[in-house]
Amino acid sequence: MINKKVDNVQAALEGVKDNMTLMLGGFGLCGIPENAIAELVKLNVSGLTCISNNAGVDNFGLGLLLQKHQIKKMVSSYVGENDEFERQMLSGELDVELIPQGTLAERCRAAQAGFPAIYTPAGYGTEVAEGKETREFDGKMYVLEHAFKSDFAFVKAWKGDAAGNLIFKGTSRNFNPNMCGAAKITVAEVEELVPVGTLDPNQIHIPGIFVQRIFQGEVYEKRIEQRTVRQRN
């Protein structure tokens, strides 16, 4: 058994440099690698290309990196909850590649599986397909989309063990599992790090072979992106 546990977030992010391409799991503020993002802010790395469903909100998640202009390009499917993201995109300060959400997930999964590219019907006949190879299968047109190439993938799981086996909880099973193993180095931060053999093998969502480093996060705010309450009767 290879022990993939590292002592802290600083050790987990060793080797992160300027101008790298990073994958970051999560959906809105759900299941984001909070500790890894906070450390990226402290490291003050710049020129980053970030692959993530969106960019958090103005004062949390990837929004913290945007505030310091550490991100040069966002590869995302949604930009609606972050005013600074919108401002930088419209002003030309930030390069943005908008991708249909399913295509974003599948390009992650293709990288995870070692496939160089996929064909998808999403985006055919729109600006998404401009300049890309298209092909007909069984009378339907498809767009060729290349698998992502990234240096690090940062994911957040509920539980994990020193071998890197992961269990995700609730809707954090969004982009996190697809990004495991989809980069040169996958770093998993977990709420609870348990000894090897503790996890029920039938409950493991991602086996440790897809993870290179794992650590237990210290603090999780788990902010609510949009709070909706019912009025009192």
Side-chain angles (χ1 to χ4, degrees):
M1 190 275 293
I2 300 176
N3 187 350
K4 300 174 181 179
K5 176 185 175 183
V6 295
D7 292 333
N8 49 46
V9 66
Q10 290 79 21
L13 269 67
E14 184 177 345
V16 175
K17 301 176 182 178
D18 293 348
N19 303 311
M20 281 189 163
T21 297
L22 311 179
M23 287 182 167
L24 298 109
F27 190 93
L29 301 182
C30 176
I32 65 172
E34 296 179 34
N35 288 264
I37 292 172
E39 184 62 19
L40 287 170
V41 173
K42 292 179 182 178
L43 288 174
N44 202 34
V45 287
S46 62
L48 299 175
T49 296
C50 292
I51 301 168
S52 185
N53 179 66
N54 61 350
V57 293
D58 287 293
N59 298 303
F60 196 63
L62 288 178
L64 298 172
L65 292 170
L66 284 172
Q67 285 182 344
K68 294 182 63 178
H69 293 83
Q70 293 175 256
I71 302 175
K72 71 174 181 180
K73 181 177 181 179
M74 281 296 310
V75 181
S76 305
S77 64
Y78 182 67
V79 301
E81 304 298 331
N82 192 316
D83 291 338
E84 180 62 15
F85 187 175
E86 180 183 358
R87 188 196 66 77
Q88 289 188 26
M89 180 178 70
L90 294 176
S91 68
E93 298 172 45
L94 179 69
D95 186 10
V96 177
E97 181 181 352
L98 286 175
I99 301 175
Q101 198 163 85
T103 303
L104 182 69
E106 290 304 317
R107 289 177 69 182
C108 292
R109 186 149 50 189
Q112 180 190 68
F115 299 148
I118 60 168
Y119 278 103
T120 173
Y124 177 76
T126 72
E127 292 181 7
V128 171
E130 288 183 2
K132 297 177 182 177
E133 178 184 332
T134 59
R135 184 173 174 181
E136 182 180 344
F137 293 92
D138 298 325
K140 188 172 183 178
M141 296 303 298
Y142 292 78
V143 181
L144 180 72
E145 297 282 4
H146 291 274
F148 288 125
K149 295 180 180 180
S150 56
D151 299 292
F152 280 83
F154 297 105
V155 302
K156 157 67 167 49
W158 174 45
K159 284 187 180 182
D161 62 22
N165 298 305
L166 302 177
I167 297 176
F168 299 93
K169 189 175 184 179
T171 50
S172 65
R173 291 181 68 184
N174 36 52
F175 286 90
N176 280 301
N178 286 2
M179 290 183 175
C180 292
K184 294 177 182 177
I185 298 175
T186 295
V187 177
E189 62 175 76
V190 297
E191 294 181 40
E192 187 176 349
L193 189 57
V194 299
V196 174
T198 303
L199 302 177
D200 179 354
N202 294 305
Q203 301 300 316
I204 291 172
H205 297 132
I206 289 292
I209 194 170
F210 290 106
V211 177
Q212 282 70 50
R213 302 174 189 172
I214 187 169
F215 71 98
Q216 182 166 319
E218 294 183 354
V219 178
Y220 289 102
E221 293 187 41
K222 297 184 180 180
R223 293 193 190 182
I224 297 174
E225 191 167 356
Q226 293 188 11
R227 186 186 300 273
T228 303
V229 296
R230 184 173 59 189
Q231 290 186 349
R232 184 180 300 175
N233 293 329

